[in-house]
């Protein structure tokens, strides 16, 4: 202060009422700031600084995205506005300014989510003041392709990702990281895959110029395949787009320090479009029934036998046989029970017992039959007919 260094920590040690070693709120709650958000210490709490992320919200966990209609595009100029550039209508950026232009890049980190039902289309394109470029696009087949051209090679280096069709209307997440000649690509919840640029390729992305979303509107020579996929343009949703520390969609939809770098063609409507990737992990090719089209020649493991680790080719018929056997046993048990009940009922049908005396058929009456068969009955009658005189 005023040119004098004050050692407050040492002064606190000799001052009563002060204790060292306290921790701020960010020490305990800083992990609540997600997606690269920076925890800012405050007197009664903390806050999350999301300025260098593609997210918004209190904890930097809210997607910032927009829906693109056909023919719509967004351009983010890396070079400071008004320096080395002219009106956006002419777009005649001829040469880089060595003092204000973006520096050469030895690596990039690109993250974005998208959903679309139309292919082909350009998702993201980064141009330069040289012939260098990188692009992420959806091919006519619906598969994802990443193209790098850093010079030193006659043709761009292509990375084709053949994980089913990406133009299925589902949200997909893409992470691309380059460190010199090593490129790491992660799609949705699939494992990360590393690729390597040819040894003849340069390692620097020279003089980056602009980043395009949805469509490439650039002067000069453009790769022929990029030009083919550029019409009619991307239709769908792009969300949480981030190139290194730059979030072009957020700069367009929020008033930030980088908003002056953005130029938009069309009406940009904010929407995350459900751009979060699916939380369910995809099935491996070994257990995925979609990979059973050539079961005789492929090594697909479905239905899976954990004991042998091989496909059970008659697995479906075996299951049907087991179910059929169980049903047959149940039916047989029911039939046996019915037979037992029917026999029991007919065994006692029409039979009953009486106490009718023997010889009732030949006797004149029932009383006569009883008298003939029971001698005690006669004695009882005679005894009852006796008279007594007192």
């Amino acid at each position: 202060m005023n040119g004098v260094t004050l050692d407050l920590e040492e002064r606190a040690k000799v001052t009563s009422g002060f204790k060292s070693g306290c921790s701020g709120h960010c020490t305990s709650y800083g992990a609540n700031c997600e997606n690269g958000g920076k925890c800012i210490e405050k007197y009664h709490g903390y806050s999350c600084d999301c300025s260098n992320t593609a997210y918004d919200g209190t904890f930097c966990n809210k997607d910032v995205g927009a829906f693109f209609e056909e023919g719509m595009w967004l351009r983010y100029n890396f070079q400071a506005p008004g320096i080395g550039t002219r009106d956006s209508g002419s777009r005649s950026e001829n040469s880089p300014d060595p003092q204000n232009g973006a520096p050469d890049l030895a690596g990039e980190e690109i993250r974005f989510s998208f959903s679309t039902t139309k292919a082909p289309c350009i998702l993201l394109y980064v141009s330069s003041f040289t012939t260098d470029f990188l692009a992420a696009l959806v091919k006519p087949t619906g598969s994802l392709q990443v193209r790098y051209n850093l010079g030193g090679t006659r043709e761009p280096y292509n990375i084709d990702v053949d994980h089913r069709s990406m133009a299925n209307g589902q949200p997909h997440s893409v992470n691309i990281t380059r460190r010199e000649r090593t490129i790491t690509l992660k799609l949705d919840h699939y494992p990360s895959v590393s690729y390597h640029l040819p040894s003849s390729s340069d390692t620097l992305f020279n003089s980056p110029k602009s980043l395009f979303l949805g469509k490439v509107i650039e002067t000069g020579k453009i790769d022929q395949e990029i030009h083919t996929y550029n019409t009619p343009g991307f239709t769908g949703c792009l969300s949480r787009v981030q190139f290194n520390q730059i979030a072009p969609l957020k700069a367009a939809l929020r008033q930030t320090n980088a908003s002056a770098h953005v130029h938009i063609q069309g009406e940009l409507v904010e929407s995350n479009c459900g751009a979060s990737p699916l939380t369910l992990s995809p099935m491996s090719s070994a257990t995925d029934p979609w990979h059973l089209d050539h079961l005789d020649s492929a090594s697909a493991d479905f239905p899976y036998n954990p004991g042998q680790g091989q496909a059970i080719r008659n697995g479906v018929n075996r299951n049907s046989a087991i179910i059929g056997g169980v049903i047959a046993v149940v039916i047989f048990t029911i039939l046996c029970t019915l037979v037992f009940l029917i026999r029991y009922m007919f065994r006692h049908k029409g039979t009953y017992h009486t106490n009718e005396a023997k010889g009732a058929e030949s006797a004149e009456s029932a009383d006569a039959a009883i008298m003939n068969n029971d001698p005690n009955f006669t004695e009882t009658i005679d005894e009852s007919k006796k008279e007594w005189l007192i």
Side-chain angles (χ1 to χ4, degrees), residues 43 124 141 165 180 188 208 218 234 243 260 264 281 319 362 385:
Y43 187 77
L124 179 145
T141 58
S165 174
E180 295 185 346
D188 294 339
E218 186 62 281
F234 173 77
F243 180 87
I264 303 172
S281 300
N319 293 337
S362 58
K385 289 182 178 180

Side-chain angles (χ1 to χ4, degrees), residues 152-307:
T153 58
R154 299 183 60 182
E155 297 293 334
Y157 180 75
N158 300 334
I159 300 175
D160 292 300
V161 185
D162 296 325
H163 291 305
R164 303 182 182 174
S165 174
M166 299 291 104
N168 56 4
Q170 296 290 334
H172 299 283
S173 177
V174 181
N175 291 354
I176 305 170
T177 303
R178 182 183 71 89
R179 295 293 179 266
E180 295 185 346
R181 291 190 177 92
T182 301
I183 302 172
T184 303
L185 175 63
K186 181 173 177 57
L187 175 64
D188 294 339
H189 296 287
Y190 290 97
S192 300
V193 181
S194 295
Y195 304 87
H196 299 279
L197 294 171
S199 58
S200 59
S201 174
D202 294 340
T203 60
L204 293 179
F205 191 108
N206 296 310
S207 303
K209 180 181 177 182
S210 301
L211 182 149
F212 291 91
L213 299 177
K215 197 172 183 179
V216 181
I217 305 297
E218 186 62 281
T219 58
K221 185 179 180 180
I222 301 178
D223 181 80
Q224 184 60 37
E225 195 164 358
I226 296 294
H227 182 72
T228 303
Y229 296 163
N230 204 32
T231 304
F234 173 77
T235 301
C237 180
L238 283 170
S239 179
R240 58 184 184 225
V241 181
Q242 186 164 359
F243 180 87
N244 292 341
Q245 300 298 320
I246 299 171
L249 271 181
K250 185 177 179 180
L253 296 169
R254 304 284 189 272
Q255 189 62 38
T256 67
N257 295 333
S259 298
H261 293 253
V262 179
H263 179 79
I264 303 172
Q265 176 65 39
E267 184 178 357
L268 193 66
V269 180
E270 181 175 359
S271 173
N272 63 7
C273 306
S276 297
L278 300 175
T279 55
L280 294 177
S281 300
M283 291 187 294
S284 63
S285 59
T287 58
D288 193 342
W290 291 99
H291 291 267
L292 295 181
D293 296 336
H294 307 286
L295 185 59
D296 294 334
S297 60
S299 60
D301 298 337
F302 184 87
Y304 184 68
N305 183 354

Side-chain angles (χ1 to χ4, degrees), residues 10 30 37 52 69 148 159 172 176 226 302 309 323 334 353 375-376:
E10 289 296 328
N52 291 328
E69 296 181 350
Y148 260 96
I159 300 175
H172 299 283
I176 305 170
I226 296 294
F302 184 87
I323 296 174
I334 295 174
H353 298 281
N376 295 329

Side-chain angles (χ1 to χ4, degrees), residues 369-385:
I370 294 174
M371 293 173 62
N372 293 334
N373 289 281
D374 191 356
N376 295 329
F377 184 77
T378 306
E379 295 177 0
T380 303
I381 296 175
D382 294 340
E383 189 72 22
S384 63
K385 289 182 178 180

